[in-house]
Structures are given as structure tokens and as C-alpha cells.
Amino acid sequence: MILKVARMGHPVLRQRAREVTAREIASGVLKQILADMFDTMDEYEGIGLAAPQVHVPLRLLVLEVPPGLRDPDDPAIPRMAMINPVVTPLTDETMDNWEGCLSIPDMIGEVQRPRQVHVAWTAPDGTEHEQEFEGFPAAAIQHEADHLDGVLYVERIQDLKTFQYTREFQRFHARTGGVPEGHDDEG
Ligand code: ZN
């Protein structure tokens, strides 16, 4: 089922989402919400979605990042859900990343994020996972994990002049900005 997406200004986007309990994972109550989150992400052609964006204040996110979306070498993130993700930067080196957000429709801005992160999370089947991510996939996970702490990407824009409508960005800047037209970074 496609869910309504909370937009910037809604309080649910500003609170710290709570941890999902082991009991909740075992009970299967997350199954429907995760299915709905995937449906919603697909409907809006996002590459990620965090539970607070659909008015569920839990530490839960879904992702599906196609390969080479920005850099041809960027690996894909397969369709997956992360429960209680813990993101730890592995470097002080930052990357500039153009980001959009389903909660801030039709806009885009350039955000600086650590280039490499370690992520630990629980899968819906209860198994524990950890993996290192680099480049655009690392930025995508950081964007979604920020939602769990009530943080929106606009607060991380260093140069507010980069904050603009996606349509104007594509019209005037995409060719020179090194971002392929029709890029898809909503989450
Ligand atoms: Zn977002």
C-alpha cells in the first residue's frame, strides 16, 4: 500500500525515532510496514525511505540504489531494509553529494558527507549485519539514517546557493555540475 509521505514541517520528521525491539522484529509486525515502505519508495521513484517519512517513528529504513548512479564505479545497494542502523564515519574525507528528499519535493541541494562509513543493522529476519559503504551509496544511507534522528539534508547544505528546484537544476546546472540528467536521488 502506498503511504502518505510527511513533508518538511511535520513534527514526525523532527523527532528522534525509537529503536525497534527484538520482540517487535520476532513478532512480524514490521512485515506490513516494510512492504508499504517499499511500495511508497517505488511509487515516488525514490532510492531510499525512512519510516518517519511515512509517519512511523521507528528506526527503520529501506533502500534500493541502482549501480553507477553518480560515479560509474558506484556499486548498487540491493533492495533491502535496515532496522536500527548505526552509521559510523570511517574517514574525515568528505564528498559533495547532490541530494533530494521525498519530504522536500522537487528540490535539490549539495551536501557534504563522509565518503566512507561503517553500518551495522538488523535485517527483518532478525540477523545482524555490518558492511562498509563508500561514495554515493554511503551518502544515501547517511541521508536515510539522518531521518531517524530528525535531521533533514537541508541542514547539512554548506552553500545554500546550491539549494534549488530540481527542474531549474536540470535546466541550468545539471550538464555542468557533473550530474546526469534524470538522476534519481530522492529519499
Ligand atoms: Zn529524505
Side-chain angles (χ1 to χ4, degrees):
M1 188 171 70
I2 297 161
L3 303 174
K4 186 178 178 191
V5 177
R7 303 207 308 174
M8 182 165 62
H10 195 295
V12 74
L13 295 173
R14 288 301 183 193
Q15 66 193 62
R16 186 186 183 279
R18 77 157 168 87
E19 269 79 15
V20 179
T21 64
R23 194 185 181 133
E24 285 169 325
I25 295 168
S27 75
V29 291
L30 299 178
K31 210 169 174 176
Q32 187 62 51
I33 178 66
L34 284 171
D36 291 345
M37 285 173 67
F38 279 117
D39 286 349
T40 306
M41 180 174 79
D42 292 345
E43 169 69 13
Y44 294 102
E45 300 180 325
I47 59 168
L49 188 72
Q53 291 183 277
V54 289
H55 309 84
V56 176
L58 293 176
R59 302 187 81 76
L60 188 62
L61 56 87
V62 295
L63 293 158
E64 185 175 12
V65 180
L69 203 56
R70 291 298 165 71
D71 190 313
D73 296 333
D74 281 341
I77 300 178
R79 197 172 177 85
M80 65 187 300
M82 290 179 173
I83 299 166
N84 301 333
V86 177
V87 179
T88 310
L90 293 174
T91 173
D92 290 335
E93 191 193 345
T94 59
M95 59 181 288
D96 297 330
N97 191 53
W98 287 101
E99 298 188 17
C101 182
L102 297 179
S103 296
I104 310 167
D106 305 323
M107 300 208 66
I108 189 172
E110 194 177 48
V111 182
Q112 286 68 42
R113 295 194 184 273
R115 178 175 291 282
Q116 208 180 358
V117 293
H118 173 271
V119 187
W121 73 95
T122 306
D125 64 4
T127 55
E128 304 290 336
H129 297 258
E130 57 179 317
Q131 192 180 329
E132 289 178 13
F133 295 88
E134 196 176 350
F136 183 67
I141 291 172
Q142 290 176 74
H143 175 115
E144 300 310 331
D146 267 354
H147 278 300
L148 308 181
D149 292 325
V151 175
L152 300 174
Y153 80 88
V154 287
E155 288 129 67
R156 297 200 184 275
I157 297 175
Q158 276 175 14
D159 180 0
L160 267 176
K161 287 179 193 158
T162 68
F163 189 45
Q164 57 200 286
Y165 288 101
T166 309
R167 189 160 170 237
E168 276 65 20
F169 173 80
Q170 287 168 342
R171 187 173 167 199
F172 297 111
H173 304 294
R175 275 179 222 93
T176 54
V179 176
E181 278 186 82
H183 71 284
D184 183 17
D185 62 346
E186 304 279 327

